[in-house]
Amino acid sequence: MEIAKRTENGSGQCVHLCRPPPAPDLPMQHRGADSGYNALAPPRAYPAPSLPPAPSRLLPSDLPAPHPPCPGSAAVRSPGSRFASSLRVLCSPPRRSAVFWRPWIDDGGEKEQEAPHNAVEAVPLKQGRSLMDWIRLTKSGKDLTGLKGRLIEVTEEELKKHNKKDDCWICIRGFVYNVSPYMEYHPGGEDELMRAAGSDGTDLFDQVHRWVNYESMLKECLVGRMAMKPAFPKGMLPQSQVTDTLAKEGPSSPSYDWFQTDSLVTIVIYTKQKDINLDSVIVDHRDDSFRAETVIKDYSYLVHVALSHEIQEDFSVLVVENVGKIEIVLKKKENTSWKCLGHPQENHNSFIPKKDTGLFYRKCQLVSKEDVTHDTKLFCLMLPPSTHLEVPVGQHVYLRLPITGTEIVKPYTPVCDSLFSEFKEPVLPNNIYIYFLIKIYPAGFFTPELDQLQIGDYVSVSNPEGNFIISQLQELEDLFLLAAGTGFTPMVKVLNYALTNIPSLRKVKLMFFNKTEDDIIWRSQLEKLAFKDKRFEVEFVLSAPTSEWSGKQGYISPALLSEFLKRRSDTSKVLICLCGPTPFTEQGMKMLHDLNFSKDEIHSFTA
Ligand code: FAD
Ligand code: NAD
């Protein structure tokens, strides 16, 4: 795949000169010069209220989408979230702490000495209530919904009735689950689940771990979908309402267009934003399905069509930054004229808050795996040839693997193949390969499976997520990085980007907390970088050093921080990034506030 970046006067301009007279667009769409969006007919028809006979095992993805929302509901543009959003308006539960859904923490009778990941508030699970035990139960054939395999439509009134521990239904994104059998297995404890009993738990779920694959985990608990009073006969909000709501809430809606030459089809996305980059757009072409998701601030614009003709595997993505235009140039398989681009697929031409979109995954192949420390490895995954995906600095993705038949998902932060390319020849280009530094926990659930993968095996990789904003680095004078263990991973790209792209940068200091010397990731690279680039300093702090260690010792502390965080002047622009085990990050945040650093001067990396 060829990926290029250019200016308005750049090389791709001939494509415009060759532009043919406007071709008819998607069959369902009235073509508008610059706006496929406003003139678009409903992307999909919604199903009739009656449910089809239910198969005994059905995933939400197998079901028709929930019914459309009531008029006046704000977040209404994603079929996946339509009902959930409107239900929130009708019967939203009180807002609660961000501990509703937690990653699985199973003490299994063998607690480690140091706090496990994110386990700070986890409720100890009873013996026999681990994730594995839950998976076993779901596969036992036991009727977990009490409906003998039937799927039903659930009214609001009905949902509200199921609000007790032994009869607890929760709605997530329009689908209703009977979570009573799951209570004892929930790492966050029964009380947390009960907070959403008989109501819509989508908000609570999203606040913490919207990536947790509840569809797979709770598939045997699926009761059915929410029933809604049909608001509009065709299942769509009037277009004007969608646009009006968006205009008030966020950036103006992008639009798309397409044109062709004999051999090429170019899809143009007009983002109407200037700060668009190659990492703003993610393109996937699979069979005849073409999907381009553009992320604009907290919103996502999707072009999603089943192409009318075949194309070649490779395509190019061009960004004209100064006008916020993205061009995706596809190569036709045959030099015939296309009468239309294709047929709209789910959520085509939608512009919705990113938090309301599902995570899209593609399968990536394991290309290499090398030891970095005694327990941490550098994994290199290869993107499919028909994917364009660049993970922005400071963001993470989710890796997904089937483990004993259930899709398990965990977040990981891509790094560069080395701290700086001078230390190692970049063997492989970055826009095709994604690198991860991953610590293998022998008693962990996911990483031992990851470690078992052979070269050539596949792992699913999601679209990027995260709230780090690269503009935080602009004009920066002092950058302080506080990393503990694999909390080093987000620092890799931040460090690299800052040293390469921020001319105002005076100093970057990394304080790297580890248990022992053997745990320090890329120690020699860090020391070489400090030697080579005088703006960079690194300090190692060990919590369980051997007697030979003469450096700093202990956990994060106000004394360590006040000595380390010396800003040039009271007015110099400073950013402090923190990442590590949850207690480390929480304590660090508190100490930084006590040291009078403002919220804008601190960024903590969390899920
Ligand atoms: P888990 O099953 O979660 O177990 C981890 C450890 O805790 C094991 O030692 C296990 O024995 C212990 N444990 C589990 N439950 C308990 C319990 N109840 N009591 C006591 N001990 C327990 N990690 C990386 O290596 N690299 C990255 O780039 C990276 N990026 C991340 C990005 C984000 C945004 C987040 C939130 C996390 C990131 N992580 C990263 C951590 C990663 O997501 C996983 O949490 C980690 O890999 C552990 O997964 P696991 O399933 O193998 O282990
Ligand atoms: P670790 O157990 O090896 O500990 C590394 C250091 O963290 C310790 O030496 C100590 O200084 C500090 N630490 C550990 N427990 C502490 C506590 N209770 N209080 C204060 N400090 C403490 O770390 P690890 O196994 O490499 O785990 C790294 C953690 O970073 C994981 O929890 C992982 O989820 C998290 N992580 C988060 C992100 C992100 O949110 N973006 C990215 C990568 C890693």
Side-chain angles (χ1 to χ4, degrees), residues 6 12-20 23 25 31 255-270 290 292 303 305 307 311 315-320 325-332 338 340-341:
R6 52 156 227 203
Q13 215 174 27
C14 68
V15 180
H16 296 274
L17 299 174
C18 303
R19 183 177 175 145
D25 206 337
R31 195 179 165 80
S255 59
Y256 81 99
D257 203 349
W258 72 282
F259 53 90
Q260 59 185 318
T261 64
D262 282 351
S263 57
L264 304 173
V265 166
T266 301
I267 298 172
V268 188
I269 297 168
Y270 302 95
F290 176 87
V303 172
V305 291
L307 294 174
I311 57 166
F315 53 80
S316 47
V317 180
L318 313 157
V319 172
V320 190
K325 189 167 77 172
I326 296 164
E327 291 183 359
I328 304 159
V329 185
L330 313 175
K331 295 180 190 159
K332 293 179 179 174
W338 292 18
C340 66
L341 182 61

Short mmCIF file of all heavy atoms in Angstrom, two decimals, residues 6 12-20 23 25 31 255-270 290 292 303 305 307 311 315-320 325-332 338 340-341:
data_model
loop_
_atom_site.label_atom_id
_atom_site.label_comp_id
_atom_site.label_asym_id
_atom_site.label_seq_id
_atom_site.Cartn_x
_atom_site.Cartn_y
_atom_site.Cartn_z
N ARG A 6 0.50 15.24 1.04
CA ARG A 6 0.90 16.26 0.10
C ARG A 6 0.18 17.55 0.39
O ARG A 6 -0.78 17.60 1.17
CB ARG A 6 0.59 15.82 -1.32
CG ARG A 6 -0.87 15.38 -1.48
CD ARG A 6 -1.32 15.51 -2.87
NE ARG A 6 -2.60 16.18 -2.81
CZ ARG A 6 -3.50 16.09 -3.76
NH1 ARG A 6 -3.26 15.38 -4.84
NH2 ARG A 6 -4.63 16.72 -3.65
N GLY A 12 -0.80 14.84 -6.53
CA GLY A 12 -2.06 14.16 -6.85
C GLY A 12 -3.04 15.04 -7.61
O GLY A 12 -4.15 14.61 -7.90
N GLN A 13 -2.66 16.27 -7.96
CA GLN A 13 -3.65 17.19 -8.49
C GLN A 13 -4.24 16.74 -9.82
O GLN A 13 -5.37 17.05 -10.13
CB GLN A 13 -3.03 18.56 -8.65
CG GLN A 13 -4.05 19.65 -8.37
CD GLN A 13 -3.39 20.97 -8.39
OE1 GLN A 13 -2.38 21.14 -9.07
NE2 GLN A 13 -3.92 21.93 -7.68
N CYS A 14 -3.47 16.00 -10.62
CA CYS A 14 -3.97 15.58 -11.91
C CYS A 14 -5.28 14.81 -11.79
O CYS A 14 -6.11 14.84 -12.67
CB CYS A 14 -2.94 14.74 -12.64
SG CYS A 14 -2.70 13.16 -11.84
N VAL A 15 -5.46 14.20 -10.66
CA VAL A 15 -6.70 13.45 -10.45
C VAL A 15 -7.89 14.37 -10.62
O VAL A 15 -8.88 14.03 -11.23
CB VAL A 15 -6.69 12.81 -9.05
CG1 VAL A 15 -7.96 12.02 -8.82
CG2 VAL A 15 -5.48 11.92 -8.88
N HIS A 16 -7.76 15.59 -10.12
CA HIS A 16 -8.88 16.52 -10.23
C HIS A 16 -9.08 16.96 -11.67
O HIS A 16 -10.19 17.11 -12.13
CB HIS A 16 -8.62 17.76 -9.38
CG HIS A 16 -8.56 17.42 -7.95
ND1 HIS A 16 -9.67 17.35 -7.17
CD2 HIS A 16 -7.50 17.06 -7.17
CE1 HIS A 16 -9.32 16.99 -5.94
NE2 HIS A 16 -8.01 16.82 -5.94
N LEU A 17 -7.98 17.16 -12.40
CA LEU A 17 -8.10 17.62 -13.77
C LEU A 17 -8.82 16.58 -14.62
O LEU A 17 -9.51 16.89 -15.56
CB LEU A 17 -6.71 17.89 -14.36
CG LEU A 17 -5.93 18.98 -13.63
CD1 LEU A 17 -4.53 19.09 -14.17
CD2 LEU A 17 -6.66 20.31 -13.72
N CYS A 18 -8.65 15.32 -14.24
CA CYS A 18 -9.27 14.25 -15.02
C CYS A 18 -10.71 14.01 -14.62
O CYS A 18 -11.33 13.08 -15.06
CB CYS A 18 -8.51 12.94 -14.80
SG CYS A 18 -6.80 13.08 -15.22
N ARG A 19 -11.21 14.85 -13.73
CA ARG A 19 -12.53 14.56 -13.17
C ARG A 19 -13.60 14.52 -14.27
O ARG A 19 -13.78 15.45 -15.03
CB ARG A 19 -12.88 15.63 -12.15
CG ARG A 19 -14.18 15.35 -11.49
CD ARG A 19 -14.44 16.38 -10.43
NE ARG A 19 -15.77 16.13 -9.91
CZ ARG A 19 -16.10 16.31 -8.67
NH1 ARG A 19 -15.24 16.75 -7.81
NH2 ARG A 19 -17.32 16.08 -8.28
N PRO A 20 -14.36 13.43 -14.34
CA PRO A 20 -15.41 13.32 -15.36
C PRO A 20 -16.66 14.06 -14.90
O PRO A 20 -16.74 14.51 -13.77
CB PRO A 20 -15.68 11.81 -15.37
CG PRO A 20 -15.39 11.38 -13.97
CD PRO A 20 -14.33 12.30 -13.45
N ALA A 23 -20.91 11.60 -11.76
CA ALA A 23 -21.51 10.28 -11.98
C ALA A 23 -22.63 10.09 -10.98
O ALA A 23 -22.60 10.67 -9.90
CB ALA A 23 -20.45 9.21 -11.76
N ASP A 25 -24.35 8.68 -7.90
CA ASP A 25 -23.68 8.14 -6.72
C ASP A 25 -24.39 6.87 -6.28
O ASP A 25 -24.99 6.16 -7.07
CB ASP A 25 -23.69 9.19 -5.62
CG ASP A 25 -22.54 8.98 -4.67
OD1 ASP A 25 -22.02 7.86 -4.59
OD2 ASP A 25 -22.19 9.94 -4.01
N ARG A 31 -27.36 12.90 -5.35
CA ARG A 31 -26.00 13.39 -5.36
C ARG A 31 -25.97 14.89 -5.12
O ARG A 31 -26.69 15.65 -5.74
CB ARG A 31 -25.39 13.08 -6.71
CG ARG A 31 -23.93 13.21 -6.73
CD ARG A 31 -23.48 12.84 -8.12
NE ARG A 31 -22.13 13.27 -8.29
CZ ARG A 31 -21.10 12.62 -7.85
NH1 ARG A 31 -21.27 11.49 -7.22
NH2 ARG A 31 -19.89 13.08 -8.04
N SER A 255 -18.50 15.64 4.70
CA SER A 255 -19.27 15.04 3.62
C SER A 255 -18.28 14.29 2.73
O SER A 255 -17.07 14.40 2.92
CB SER A 255 -20.00 16.12 2.84
OG SER A 255 -19.05 17.02 2.32
N TYR A 256 -18.81 13.55 1.78
CA TYR A 256 -17.90 12.85 0.88
C TYR A 256 -18.41 12.95 -0.54
O TYR A 256 -19.57 13.31 -0.79
CB TYR A 256 -17.75 11.38 1.29
CG TYR A 256 -18.89 10.52 0.80
CD1 TYR A 256 -18.76 9.74 -0.35
CD2 TYR A 256 -20.10 10.52 1.47
CE1 TYR A 256 -19.81 8.98 -0.81
CE2 TYR A 256 -21.16 9.77 1.01
CZ TYR A 256 -21.01 9.00 -0.13
OH TYR A 256 -22.06 8.27 -0.60
N ASP A 257 -17.54 12.63 -1.45
CA ASP A 257 -17.87 12.64 -2.86
C ASP A 257 -16.97 11.60 -3.52
O ASP A 257 -16.04 11.10 -2.88
CB ASP A 257 -17.58 14.04 -3.41
CG ASP A 257 -18.38 14.33 -4.67
OD1 ASP A 257 -18.98 13.40 -5.22
OD2 ASP A 257 -18.37 15.51 -5.08
N TRP A 258 -17.22 11.28 -4.75
CA TRP A 258 -16.30 10.37 -5.43
C TRP A 258 -16.26 10.69 -6.92
O TRP A 258 -17.19 11.28 -7.47
CB TRP A 258 -16.70 8.93 -5.21
CG TRP A 258 -17.95 8.52 -5.95
CD1 TRP A 258 -19.22 8.81 -5.60
CD2 TRP A 258 -18.01 7.77 -7.16
NE1 TRP A 258 -20.08 8.29 -6.51
CE2 TRP A 258 -19.37 7.64 -7.48
CE3 TRP A 258 -17.06 7.20 -8.00
CZ2 TRP A 258 -19.82 6.95 -8.61
CZ3 TRP A 258 -17.49 6.51 -9.12
CH2 TRP A 258 -18.85 6.38 -9.43
N PHE A 259 -15.17 10.35 -7.53
CA PHE A 259 -15.07 10.50 -8.98
C PHE A 259 -14.11 9.44 -9.51
O PHE A 259 -13.47 8.74 -8.73
CB PHE A 259 -14.66 11.91 -9.38
CG PHE A 259 -13.42 12.41 -8.70
CD1 PHE A 259 -12.19 12.20 -9.27
CD2 PHE A 259 -13.51 13.12 -7.50
CE1 PHE A 259 -11.04 12.68 -8.66
CE2 PHE A 259 -12.36 13.59 -6.88
CZ PHE A 259 -11.13 13.37 -7.46
N GLN A 260 -14.06 9.34 -10.84
CA GLN A 260 -13.27 8.24 -11.40
C GLN A 260 -12.53 8.65 -12.66
O GLN A 260 -12.92 9.58 -13.37
CB GLN A 260 -14.19 7.06 -11.72
CG GLN A 260 -15.29 7.39 -12.71
CD GLN A 260 -16.24 6.22 -12.91
OE1 GLN A 260 -15.81 5.08 -13.01
NE2 GLN A 260 -17.54 6.50 -12.98
N THR A 261 -11.46 7.95 -12.92
CA THR A 261 -10.80 7.97 -14.23
C THR A 261 -10.97 6.55 -14.78
O THR A 261 -11.67 5.73 -14.18
CB THR A 261 -9.32 8.32 -14.10
OG1 THR A 261 -8.69 7.26 -13.35
CG2 THR A 261 -9.10 9.64 -13.40
N ASP A 262 -10.29 6.26 -15.87
CA ASP A 262 -10.42 4.91 -16.44
C ASP A 262 -9.99 3.85 -15.44
O ASP A 262 -10.58 2.79 -15.33
CB ASP A 262 -9.55 4.78 -17.69
CG ASP A 262 -10.23 5.43 -18.88
OD1 ASP A 262 -11.41 5.80 -18.72
OD2 ASP A 262 -9.59 5.58 -19.93
N SER A 263 -8.91 4.16 -14.71
CA SER A 263 -8.33 3.11 -13.88
C SER A 263 -8.48 3.35 -12.37
O SER A 263 -8.19 2.46 -11.59
CB SER A 263 -6.83 2.98 -14.21
OG SER A 263 -6.22 4.23 -14.02
N LEU A 264 -8.89 4.56 -12.00
CA LEU A 264 -8.92 4.88 -10.56
C LEU A 264 -10.30 5.35 -10.12
O LEU A 264 -11.04 5.96 -10.90
CB LEU A 264 -7.92 6.00 -10.24
CG LEU A 264 -6.47 5.80 -10.63
CD1 LEU A 264 -5.67 7.09 -10.40
CD2 LEU A 264 -5.86 4.65 -9.83
N VAL A 265 -10.60 5.10 -8.86
CA VAL A 265 -11.77 5.70 -8.23
C VAL A 265 -11.25 6.46 -7.02
O VAL A 265 -10.52 5.89 -6.20
CB VAL A 265 -12.78 4.63 -7.78
CG1 VAL A 265 -13.83 5.22 -6.85
CG2 VAL A 265 -13.46 4.01 -8.99
N THR A 266 -11.60 7.72 -6.93
CA THR A 266 -11.13 8.51 -5.78
C THR A 266 -12.31 8.89 -4.91
O THR A 266 -13.29 9.47 -5.39
CB THR A 266 -10.41 9.78 -6.27
OG1 THR A 266 -9.31 9.37 -7.07
CG2 THR A 266 -9.89 10.61 -5.10
N ILE A 267 -12.21 8.53 -3.64
CA ILE A 267 -13.24 8.94 -2.68
C ILE A 267 -12.66 10.12 -1.91
O ILE A 267 -11.55 10.04 -1.38
CB ILE A 267 -13.58 7.78 -1.72
CG1 ILE A 267 -14.16 6.61 -2.53
CG2 ILE A 267 -14.57 8.24 -0.65
CD1 ILE A 267 -14.35 5.34 -1.74
N VAL A 268 -13.39 11.21 -1.91
CA VAL A 268 -12.91 12.42 -1.24
C VAL A 268 -13.76 12.68 -0.01
O VAL A 268 -14.98 12.69 -0.08
CB VAL A 268 -13.00 13.65 -2.18
CG1 VAL A 268 -12.31 14.85 -1.55
CG2 VAL A 268 -12.39 13.34 -3.52
N ILE A 269 -13.09 12.87 1.12
CA ILE A 269 -13.81 13.21 2.34
C ILE A 269 -13.46 14.65 2.69
O ILE A 269 -12.28 14.99 2.84
CB ILE A 269 -13.43 12.25 3.49
CG1 ILE A 269 -13.86 10.83 3.12
CG2 ILE A 269 -14.09 12.68 4.81
CD1 ILE A 269 -13.29 9.75 4.01
N TYR A 270 -14.47 15.48 2.77
CA TYR A 270 -14.27 16.88 3.13
C TYR A 270 -14.53 16.99 4.63
O TYR A 270 -15.68 16.95 5.07
CB TYR A 270 -15.24 17.78 2.36
CG TYR A 270 -15.11 17.64 0.87
CD1 TYR A 270 -15.93 16.76 0.16
CD2 TYR A 270 -14.15 18.36 0.17
CE1 TYR A 270 -15.81 16.60 -1.21
CE2 TYR A 270 -14.01 18.21 -1.21
CZ TYR A 270 -14.85 17.34 -1.89
OH TYR A 270 -14.72 17.19 -3.24
N PHE A 290 -16.05 -1.56 1.80
CA PHE A 290 -15.07 -0.49 1.95
C PHE A 290 -15.51 0.40 3.11
O PHE A 290 -16.67 0.82 3.18
CB PHE A 290 -15.00 0.33 0.66
CG PHE A 290 -14.09 1.50 0.78
CD1 PHE A 290 -12.73 1.38 0.53
CD2 PHE A 290 -14.59 2.73 1.18
CE1 PHE A 290 -11.90 2.47 0.68
CE2 PHE A 290 -13.75 3.82 1.33
CZ PHE A 290 -12.40 3.68 1.07
N ALA A 292 -14.20 3.69 5.59
CA ALA A 292 -13.22 4.74 5.93
C ALA A 292 -13.78 5.54 7.10
O ALA A 292 -14.82 6.19 6.97
CB ALA A 292 -12.98 5.65 4.74
N VAL A 303 -17.57 6.49 6.13
CA VAL A 303 -18.02 6.15 4.78
C VAL A 303 -17.95 4.63 4.72
O VAL A 303 -16.89 4.05 4.94
CB VAL A 303 -17.10 6.78 3.70
CG1 VAL A 303 -17.45 6.27 2.32
CG2 VAL A 303 -17.19 8.30 3.75
N VAL A 305 -19.38 1.43 2.45
CA VAL A 305 -20.16 0.96 1.29
C VAL A 305 -19.70 -0.42 0.83
O VAL A 305 -18.54 -0.81 1.02
CB VAL A 305 -20.02 1.94 0.09
CG1 VAL A 305 -20.70 3.25 0.36
CG2 VAL A 305 -18.57 2.16 -0.29
N LEU A 307 -18.73 -1.92 -2.36
CA LEU A 307 -18.35 -1.34 -3.64
C LEU A 307 -19.07 -2.05 -4.79
O LEU A 307 -19.29 -3.27 -4.75
CB LEU A 307 -16.84 -1.42 -3.84
CG LEU A 307 -15.99 -0.58 -2.89
CD1 LEU A 307 -14.51 -0.88 -3.09
CD2 LEU A 307 -16.27 0.91 -3.06
N ILE A 311 -11.91 -3.93 -6.75
CA ILE A 311 -10.72 -3.06 -6.81
C ILE A 311 -9.48 -3.89 -6.43
O ILE A 311 -9.60 -4.99 -5.90
CB ILE A 311 -10.83 -1.85 -5.86
CG1 ILE A 311 -11.08 -2.32 -4.41
CG2 ILE A 311 -11.90 -0.89 -6.30
CD1 ILE A 311 -10.87 -1.23 -3.38
N PHE A 315 -4.19 0.62 -2.11
CA PHE A 315 -4.79 1.93 -2.39
C PHE A 315 -3.93 2.98 -1.73
O PHE A 315 -3.04 2.65 -0.94
CB PHE A 315 -6.23 2.00 -1.88
CG PHE A 315 -6.39 1.63 -0.43
CD1 PHE A 315 -6.10 2.53 0.58
CD2 PHE A 315 -6.81 0.35 -0.08
CE1 PHE A 315 -6.24 2.18 1.91
CE2 PHE A 315 -6.96 -0.01 1.25
CZ PHE A 315 -6.67 0.91 2.25
N SER A 316 -4.16 4.23 -2.07
CA SER A 316 -3.36 5.25 -1.39
C SER A 316 -4.27 6.24 -0.68
O SER A 316 -5.42 6.44 -1.06
CB SER A 316 -2.43 5.97 -2.37
OG SER A 316 -3.13 6.32 -3.51
N VAL A 317 -3.72 6.81 0.38
CA VAL A 317 -4.47 7.78 1.18
C VAL A 317 -3.67 9.09 1.16
O VAL A 317 -2.48 9.09 1.46
CB VAL A 317 -4.62 7.29 2.63
CG1 VAL A 317 -5.40 8.31 3.46
CG2 VAL A 317 -5.32 5.94 2.67
N LEU A 318 -4.33 10.16 0.77
CA LEU A 318 -3.66 11.45 0.70
C LEU A 318 -4.42 12.43 1.59
O LEU A 318 -5.65 12.41 1.62
CB LEU A 318 -3.68 12.00 -0.72
CG LEU A 318 -3.27 11.05 -1.84
CD1 LEU A 318 -3.85 11.48 -3.16
CD2 LEU A 318 -1.76 10.99 -1.93
N VAL A 319 -3.67 13.28 2.25
CA VAL A 319 -4.32 14.29 3.10
C VAL A 319 -3.88 15.67 2.65
O VAL A 319 -2.68 15.93 2.53
CB VAL A 319 -3.96 14.07 4.59
CG1 VAL A 319 -4.47 15.22 5.44
CG2 VAL A 319 -4.56 12.76 5.09
N VAL A 320 -4.84 16.50 2.34
CA VAL A 320 -4.52 17.89 2.01
C VAL A 320 -4.84 18.69 3.26
O VAL A 320 -5.98 19.07 3.51
CB VAL A 320 -5.35 18.38 0.80
CG1 VAL A 320 -4.83 19.72 0.32
CG2 VAL A 320 -5.31 17.36 -0.32
N LYS A 325 -8.90 17.98 3.53
CA LYS A 325 -9.49 17.04 2.57
C LYS A 325 -8.71 15.73 2.58
O LYS A 325 -7.49 15.73 2.60
CB LYS A 325 -9.43 17.70 1.19
CG LYS A 325 -10.18 16.94 0.13
CD LYS A 325 -10.35 17.79 -1.12
CE LYS A 325 -9.07 17.85 -1.92
NZ LYS A 325 -9.25 18.50 -3.22
N ILE A 326 -9.44 14.64 2.55
CA ILE A 326 -8.79 13.32 2.50
C ILE A 326 -9.18 12.67 1.18
O ILE A 326 -10.36 12.67 0.82
CB ILE A 326 -9.27 12.44 3.67
CG1 ILE A 326 -8.83 13.04 5.00
CG2 ILE A 326 -8.74 11.01 3.53
CD1 ILE A 326 -9.56 12.47 6.20
N GLU A 327 -8.20 12.15 0.47
CA GLU A 327 -8.50 11.44 -0.77
C GLU A 327 -8.04 10.00 -0.64
O GLU A 327 -6.89 9.74 -0.27
CB GLU A 327 -7.77 12.09 -1.94
CG GLU A 327 -8.31 13.47 -2.27
CD GLU A 327 -7.61 14.07 -3.48
OE1 GLU A 327 -6.70 13.41 -4.05
OE2 GLU A 327 -7.97 15.18 -3.85
N ILE A 328 -8.92 9.10 -0.95
CA ILE A 328 -8.55 7.68 -0.94
C ILE A 328 -8.64 7.21 -2.38
O ILE A 328 -9.72 7.25 -2.99
CB ILE A 328 -9.49 6.88 -0.02
CG1 ILE A 328 -9.47 7.50 1.38
CG2 ILE A 328 -9.07 5.42 0.03
CD1 ILE A 328 -10.66 7.16 2.22
N VAL A 329 -7.49 6.82 -2.91
CA VAL A 329 -7.45 6.50 -4.34
C VAL A 329 -7.42 4.98 -4.50
O VAL A 329 -6.46 4.31 -4.10
CB VAL A 329 -6.21 7.15 -5.01
CG1 VAL A 329 -6.24 6.92 -6.51
CG2 VAL A 329 -6.16 8.63 -4.70
N LEU A 330 -8.48 4.46 -5.08
CA LEU A 330 -8.62 3.02 -5.27
C LEU A 330 -8.28 2.68 -6.72
O LEU A 330 -8.58 3.47 -7.63
CB LEU A 330 -10.06 2.58 -5.00
CG LEU A 330 -10.72 3.11 -3.72
CD1 LEU A 330 -12.19 2.68 -3.66
CD2 LEU A 330 -9.98 2.59 -2.49
N LYS A 331 -7.67 1.51 -6.91
CA LYS A 331 -7.34 1.10 -8.29
C LYS A 331 -8.38 0.09 -8.75
O LYS A 331 -8.57 -0.96 -8.11
CB LYS A 331 -5.96 0.46 -8.32
CG LYS A 331 -4.85 1.42 -7.97
CD LYS A 331 -3.52 0.69 -8.02
CE LYS A 331 -2.42 1.55 -7.44
NZ LYS A 331 -1.27 0.78 -7.00
N LYS A 332 -9.02 0.40 -9.87
CA LYS A 332 -10.02 -0.53 -10.39
C LYS A 332 -9.36 -1.83 -10.83
O LYS A 332 -8.23 -1.81 -11.33
CB LYS A 332 -10.71 0.08 -11.61
CG LYS A 332 -11.56 1.29 -11.32
CD LYS A 332 -12.16 1.82 -12.63
CE LYS A 332 -13.04 3.00 -12.40
NZ LYS A 332 -13.52 3.60 -13.67
N TRP A 338 -17.75 3.05 -13.63
CA TRP A 338 -18.67 2.68 -12.54
C TRP A 338 -19.88 3.61 -12.59
O TRP A 338 -19.73 4.83 -12.64
CB TRP A 338 -18.00 2.83 -11.17
CG TRP A 338 -16.89 1.89 -10.88
CD1 TRP A 338 -16.16 1.13 -11.77
CD2 TRP A 338 -16.35 1.59 -9.59
NE1 TRP A 338 -15.21 0.39 -11.12
CE2 TRP A 338 -15.30 0.65 -9.77
CE3 TRP A 338 -16.64 2.01 -8.30
CZ2 TRP A 338 -14.55 0.14 -8.71
CZ3 TRP A 338 -15.89 1.51 -7.24
CH2 TRP A 338 -14.87 0.57 -7.45
N CYS A 340 -22.18 3.64 -10.17
CA CYS A 340 -22.35 4.12 -8.79
C CYS A 340 -21.18 3.59 -7.96
O CYS A 340 -20.48 2.67 -8.39
CB CYS A 340 -23.68 3.66 -8.20
SG CYS A 340 -23.78 1.88 -7.99
N LEU A 341 -20.98 4.20 -6.81
CA LEU A 341 -19.87 3.76 -5.97
C LEU A 341 -20.18 2.41 -5.33
O LEU A 341 -19.32 1.54 -5.22
CB LEU A 341 -19.63 4.81 -4.87
CG LEU A 341 -18.48 4.56 -3.91
CD1 LEU A 341 -17.15 4.50 -4.66
CD2 LEU A 341 -18.42 5.65 -2.84
#
